[in-house]
Every structure is written in C-alpha cells, then in structure tokens.
Amino acid sequence: GCRLEVRVAQPNEATVLIVADGFPAKNEIPLVLRSGDSLASDTLETNSDGHAVWAVSPIVPGMTQGTLKASAEGPNCMPSVVLPWRAVPSVAPKTPDH
C-alpha cells in the first residue's frame, strides 16, 4: 500500500519533490537519498493521511549528470524510485552596453 515518487519542482531537476503516500499516519519514515557518491538520510513525518513531501536538490557539486535514488521504509514496504538528472550551467543575464 505505500508508494514513493519523485516530481520535478524546478526546471532541469534543480529541485525535486519526494512524495510519500500510504504510510502509517502521523509517523516518522526513514528516507535514504543517493546521488552520485553523495549519500544522505533523513526522516519524513507523515500527516494524518500517511502523506509526506520533502524538497531536495539531486545535483552533486562537480558532476554534470547523475541519478538520484530515493528509498523509504514503512512497516510493510520499502519503495524506491530513481530519477536521472543533468546539471545545466547557469548563465549570467546579459546587460546592455552603454
């Protein structure tokens, strides 16, 4: 019954939303994120409907592309999801010459 998904929140995957549904209500769910060599863990707090959302940037400094893997652990499930990403170099706005 539980599921995990990633939704792109900003262009070029600069920020993504990790969305968890179907987990126990008002509970803490362990979340593990791996992107390139970077590993992070956190806890999602579900609401009264067993729903939680967390914003994260999958981009790893020094890398131009990679894959974000997010995994969550519920009492009866362990869903995971994968999202390929590509960093786009920022371009400074042009200013008119005077």
Side-chain angles (χ1 to χ4, degrees):
C2 64
R3 76 168 200 231
L4 196 63
E5 65 182 84
V6 175
R7 296 180 187 170
V8 176
Q10 286 187 318
N12 303 314
E13 298 91 25
T15 301
V16 298
L17 300 176
I18 307 294
V19 181
D21 279 306
F23 288 88
K26 297 185 179 182
N27 205 337
E28 293 184 349
I29 303 299
L31 176 70
V32 176
L33 301 170
R34 179 180 295 275
S35 190
D37 292 335
S38 179
L39 180 66
S41 59
D42 209 331
T43 303
L44 293 175
E45 293 185 27
T46 60
N47 65 13
S48 59
D49 295 325
H51 175 82
V53 178
W54 192 52
V56 64
S57 174
I59 297 172
V60 177
M63 293 182 67
T64 58
Q65 62 184 357
T67 302
L68 170 68
K69 180 178 181 184
S71 303
E73 185 176 350
N76 298 317
C77 64
M78 187 181 284
S80 63
V81 65
V82 175
L83 173 76
W85 58 266
R86 184 181 62 196
V88 176
S90 59
V91 177
K94 293 183 179 181
T95 56
D97 295 328
H98 292 284

